[in-house]
Amino acid sequence: MSDRDASAQPQAAEAAERRRIQRFLAQRRGQPYLWGMIGSERVALRDISVDGFAIDVTAPPAGGEPFDFVLQREGVPDQIRGRAQAVNFIAATGQAGCRFLVLEGDGAERLRDWLIALVIMNASVRISEKDAAAIVAGPSLI
């Protein structure tokens, strides 16, 4: 079912470091650009990375159990399917952070391409695809 299996549980030290990898706002021109279908609900993603995504919700998706999702880009028919699990939930802000467990087929490669395109689209200065790929693959800049 998947070329990518990220089912290993993070170690305590990894779990404590929340910005180990770069996360990207899931917006374009200040509007939602990336969406997730979780069950029958379409939710705008707050941010996304190669490891997972964050969404605004009133409770953790699927009560914290693994769930199926479909990621979509606004106005683009391409999709990424997989399975994720909420790894944190902040009730005060209504935000859940979800970790990818499985990305189906070539989902990991397509996600990387989506993130590279998102970096290029949102850059305030001209940026090459090579530089955008390095940003996507690199550690958090925050």
Side-chain angles (χ1 to χ4, degrees), residues 72-87:
Q72 303 169 327
R73 294 184 290 174
E74 187 67 38
V76 180
D78 192 20
Q79 298 181 342
I80 296 173
R81 294 178 176 277
R83 197 156 175 75
Q85 183 173 18
V87 292

Side-chain angles (χ1 to χ4, degrees), residues 32-112:
Y33 178 69
L34 297 173
W35 299 85
M37 287 294 299
I38 300 171
S40 61
E41 186 177 358
R42 183 179 189 230
V43 294
L45 274 57
R46 288 180 58 108
D47 63 53
I48 189 165
S49 74
V50 295
D51 285 345
F53 57 88
I55 53 176
D56 290 323
V57 290
T58 56
E65 294 297 316
F67 60 90
D68 294 326
F69 67 85
V70 178
L71 298 181
Q72 303 169 327
R73 294 184 290 174
E74 187 67 38
V76 180
D78 192 20
Q79 298 181 342
I80 296 173
R81 294 178 176 277
R83 197 156 175 75
Q85 183 173 18
V87 292
N88 63 40
F89 175 70
I90 304 168
T93 59
Q95 180 177 332
C98 303
R99 178 176 54 98
F100 296 129
L101 300 175
V102 173
L103 295 174
E104 293 182 6
D106 66 349
E109 292 81 19
R110 281 188 292 123
L111 176 61
R112 182 182 168 277

Side-chain angles (χ1 to χ4, degrees), residues 92-137:
T93 59
Q95 180 177 332
C98 303
R99 178 176 54 98
F100 296 129
L101 300 175
V102 173
L103 295 174
E104 293 182 6
D106 66 349
E109 292 81 19
R110 281 188 292 123
L111 176 61
R112 182 182 168 277
D113 291 344
W114 286 17
L115 294 176
I116 289 169
L118 191 60
V119 168
I120 292 169
M121 285 187 299
N122 289 322
S124 57
V125 297
R126 188 175 201 136
I127 185 169
S128 71
E129 185 174 339
K130 180 180 176 182
D131 289 339
I135 292 168
V136 169

